[in-house]
Amino acid sequence: MNQHGKPLTSVIEAIGNTPLVELSRLTKGIDGRILAKLDYLNPGFSKKDRIARQIIQDAEAEGRLRPGQTVVELTSGNTGTGLAIVCGIKGYPFVAVMSKGNSMERARMMSALGTEVVLIDQLPDSRPGQVSGGDLELVEREAQRIVAERNAFRADQFRLAGNFRAHYLHTGPEFIKQSGGNIDAFCDFVGTGGSFAGCAAALKEHDPSIRCFVVEPDGAASLAGEPVTYPNHRIQGGGYSMPILPLLRPEHIDGYLRILDKEAIDMARRLAREEGIFAGFSSGANVAAALRLLRTSFRGQTIAVILCDSGLKYLSTDLWE
Ligand SMILES: Cc1ncc(COP(=O)(O)O)c(C=O)c1O
């Protein structure tokens, strides 16, 4: 039985509706609250299950995806895992194109889910665990080649509205409902910008005074208009040094926060030890950014964040010592 009181027809229906938890141990002695959405509890252990479901549903509804057609996407692992689940259930062969710089747990999980995983070498000056914008360009080129070769559907998470809509229709409204509408600010580490854009649109539609902050790696804050001095940061899943992201809308951005690798890592470790929440680097970045807001201009207020993926995805890295 599930929260709807009846068995689900497939695990796709188990995507979303994740719990919202107040991080009251981490904020002890600090004036204010952090409300964290546990999106690592999705079936593929990340928030990206949501966009996989929406992108495929939208493409089906609009006739852009034929029965049995191959689906292709580039991924840092999480969107690919979501698509592996959704495509596997719905009968679309799925090809995931991923940089070797991402942790290998992800590739193995996608293979286990029946996906064809194509791994792309990093640039000569890149290091494993540090996927740069340049590395991502190589992955993009190969994804485009496979789409043309197989006449496939490109589940383009950087451009398709399904990425935005997943969060606009679901994640954002869930935040509002679960918090009773009591949110003063939202901050989010940006990869494609889909989570930020969708949640910010829903939150501001509910209450235009909610402030929304883009979180970027220190040294790779290109959305904030800064020069990129540290493209090979450690915060996997975003911070790709792309100054323009098609899904982001400037009118939703109230400010930019820069987070150091060390802050993200320390906070991911604190989340595990102090809150019993086993999440990844970007979740650490989001909570570190929220704590900074509480210590500065948002003292006494309520900050909402997404905990993007599971710490299990980083067992092969030095996130967990
Ligand atoms: C672990 C993780 N954190 C954050 C992000 C960024 O999310 P978005 O693409 O919605 O900006 C991603 C995206 O792949 C991710 O995998």
Side-chain angles (χ1 to χ4, degrees), residues 297-315:
S297 40
F298 283 81
R299 204 165 292 219
Q301 304 200 24
T302 297
I303 319 292
V305 293
I306 302 175
L307 302 189
C308 312
D309 71 354
S310 167
L312 290 172
K313 301 201 181 211
Y314 306 95
L315 286 179

Side-chain angles (χ1 to χ4, degrees), residues 168-283:
Y168 175 67
L169 296 175
H170 300 289
T171 323
E174 287 171 31
F175 266 126
I176 294 162
K177 186 164 169 234
Q178 291 168 306
S179 66
N182 182 8
I183 291 173
D184 298 296
F186 167 67
C187 53
D188 195 43
F189 180 74
V190 165
T192 64
S195 311
F196 178 89
C199 289
L203 292 170
K204 283 180 180 286
E205 218 169 83
H206 167 74
D207 177 356
S209 74
I210 298 177
R211 296 285 162 255
C212 297
F213 295 87
V214 161
V215 178
E216 294 185 279
D218 197 63
S222 41
L223 294 167
E226 293 185 2
V228 176
T229 54
Y230 184 47
N232 297 327
H233 63 86
R234 303 283 317 278
I235 312 173
Q236 291 191 35
Y240 296 127
S241 313
M242 297 175 180
I244 294 173
L245 290 170
L247 297 176
L248 278 188
R249 300 194 193 152
E251 67 269 26
H252 291 151
I253 304 175
D254 295 298
Y256 300 86
L257 301 165
R258 284 163 295 275
I259 294 294
L260 296 164
D261 287 349
K262 187 177 176 337
E263 290 176 290
I265 291 168
D266 286 351
M267 196 53 74
R269 292 177 180 165
R270 285 191 64 193
L271 270 171
R273 275 198 304 269
E274 297 175 37
E275 298 282 356
I277 288 175
F278 197 57
F281 290 93
S282 62
S283 305

Side-chain angles (χ1 to χ4, degrees), residues 124-192:
D125 55 347
S126 296
R127 269 173 289 167
Q130 300 171 318
V131 177
S132 67
D135 291 324
L136 209 62
E137 261 171 49
L138 298 180
V139 179
E140 169 65 32
R141 242 179 273 163
E142 181 60 12
Q144 287 183 10
R145 196 192 64 73
I146 297 172
V147 168
E149 182 183 88
R150 304 201 193 177
N151 193 16
F153 170 73
R154 174 74 191 274
D156 189 342
Q157 57 172 328
F158 277 89
R159 286 179 189 79
L160 288 177
N163 181 357
F164 167 86
R165 279 162 48 77
H167 300 291
Y168 175 67
L169 296 175
H170 300 289
T171 323
E174 287 171 31
F175 266 126
I176 294 162
K177 186 164 169 234
Q178 291 168 306
S179 66
N182 182 8
I183 291 173
D184 298 296
F186 167 67
C187 53
D188 195 43
F189 180 74
V190 165
T192 64

